[in-house]
Amino acid sequence: MLLKTILMIIYPNAKINIGLNILSKRVDGYHNISSVFYPINDCFDIIEIKKSNKFLFTTSGEKIIGENNLCVAAYKIIYSLFNIPSVHIHLHKQIPIGSGLGGGSSNASFILKGLNKLFDLELTDSELEKMSLDIGADCPFFIDNKPKMVSGIGEIMEPINLDLSNFNIELHHSDIKVSTAEVFSKFKIIKSDNSLSSSIMEPIENWKRKINNDFEKLIFSRYPELEKTKEDFYQRGALYSSMTGTGSTVYGIFKK
């Protein structure tokens, strides 16, 4: 006799932005972007989803501030559509908060996928992506969780043939917590002549000259230690270094 699954453990991973260009501000207040999202599988949170008599959300690891967590939002979306039973979601937080690594978005999307599997809902990736967009602009990426050229507010994704498995990607976290909403509100659009979609296909050695994160100028002016981290990566021989998202994590890509 087959046993019904009552518990699931999942490992939502981080992502980095390779290039992040803000193209325009939309009438709905969001911004159109151009970026490459690349999954970082060795930086992850741990989530346990267990069938329960009542809904519970608990955490451990890095302290989470506020009750409106994206994990809860993900459950509520599935519950509202399918009236699924209650679950106990426990999040062990390891991806730094406010780091630009997409940890919250990853948590939400992995919970959607987990609930889909736990309750045999048979939702397609396309359907899950649409649901996840209601939670956050970065969420749809983590459904397929493969390298993508991303545009719009994050909902337009094109697969990209980019494999960095032969390189070391080193992440440098800091204690700085950057508010994405605040950064966007103060950001001024910078026009660029470089096309990310063509530059990303060039050798990594060329990325330093052609691929930029538009938020670096603003963030580095506030937190010069982050700019110093980027300079240190290049001093150590990184082929490419950048801040990811709106910060505060800076990464370097090295030859193995």
Side-chain angles (χ1 to χ4, degrees):
M1 182 178 70
L2 294 176
L3 295 176
K4 286 281 188 180
T5 302
I6 62 170
L7 181 146
M8 178 175 293
I9 298 176
I10 52 181
Y11 302 88
N13 58 271
K15 60 86 182 158
I16 57 172
N17 295 81
I18 305 176
L20 177 54
N21 304 130
I22 311 305
L23 306 180
S24 62
K25 185 172 183 178
R26 299 154 48 114
V27 293
D28 59 9
Y30 287 95
H31 291 75
N32 290 312
I33 69 167
S34 175
S35 185
V36 171
F37 286 7
Y38 192 87
I40 304 294
N41 294 317
D42 56 0
C43 179
F44 56 87
D45 291 332
I46 305 170
I47 293 178
E48 179 186 86
I49 306 175
K50 181 168 60 176
K51 293 180 181 179
S52 174
N53 292 327
K54 64 177 182 177
F55 177 77
L56 290 171
F57 174 63
T58 56
T59 66
S60 57
E62 182 161 338
K63 186 176 181 181
I64 295 173
I65 300 172
E67 299 179 355
N68 297 321
N69 191 274
L70 299 186
C71 297
V72 178
Y75 172 78
K76 286 181 176 179
I77 284 181
I78 296 291
Y79 176 79
S80 67
L81 293 171
F82 299 98
N83 196 30
I84 60 172
S86 296
V87 295
H88 177 189
I89 297 173
H90 182 80
L91 165 64
H92 181 67
K93 192 67 182 164
Q94 301 184 134
I95 301 174
I97 297 168
S99 62
L101 292 168
S105 298
S106 181
N107 293 162
S109 292
F110 271 74
I111 285 175
L112 290 178
K113 293 191 288 185
L115 293 172
N116 183 41
K117 186 174 182 179
L118 188 62
F119 294 107
D120 299 318
L121 302 178
E122 298 184 349
L123 293 164
T124 66
D125 280 359
S126 179
E127 290 171 321
L128 289 168
E129 286 172 0
K130 289 178 181 178
M131 289 180 191
S132 69
L133 186 60
D134 289 335
I135 303 173
D138 287 353
C139 291
F141 166 75
F142 290 102
I143 300 298
D144 189 37
N145 204 31
K146 295 177 181 177
K148 295 282 172 59
M149 176 68 65
V150 178
S151 57
I153 63 171
E155 84 285 13
I156 303 172
M157 298 180 292
E158 296 291 334
I160 183 172
N161 184 22
L162 180 63
D163 182 5
L164 299 177
S165 59
N166 289 327
F167 298 87
N168 285 328
I169 302 177
E170 185 175 327
L171 306 177
H172 183 277
H173 308 303
S174 75
D175 293 330
I176 297 168
K177 308 296 184 188
V178 178
S179 167
T180 299
E182 181 185 355
V183 169
F184 267 100
S185 69
K186 297 182 182 301
F187 178 78
K188 294 182 179 179
I189 294 172
I190 304 169
K191 297 295 183 181
S192 174
D193 295 329
N194 292 323
S195 168
L196 181 58
S197 59
S198 59
S199 298
I200 197 70
M201 294 290 100
E202 296 190 21
I204 293 181
E205 290 80 1
N206 294 353
W207 290 3
K208 182 178 180 180
R209 295 183 293 108
K210 296 189 174 184
I211 298 179
N212 301 300
N213 181 335
D214 287 347
F215 286 109
E216 283 188 349
K217 185 176 181 181
L218 174 62
I219 299 298
F220 287 174
S221 68
R222 294 184 176 187
Y223 307 106
E225 58 267 43
L226 298 181
E227 184 174 20
K228 176 68 164 52
T229 298
K230 180 177 177 176
E231 292 170 356
D232 288 346
F233 273 134
Y234 278 126
Q235 287 289 328
R236 290 175 45 213
L239 299 174
Y240 180 71
S241 179
S242 176
M243 185 179 73
T244 181
T246 55
S248 60
T249 294
V250 177
Y251 66 87
I253 302 177
F254 297 82
K255 287 182 179 178
K256 280 191 176 179

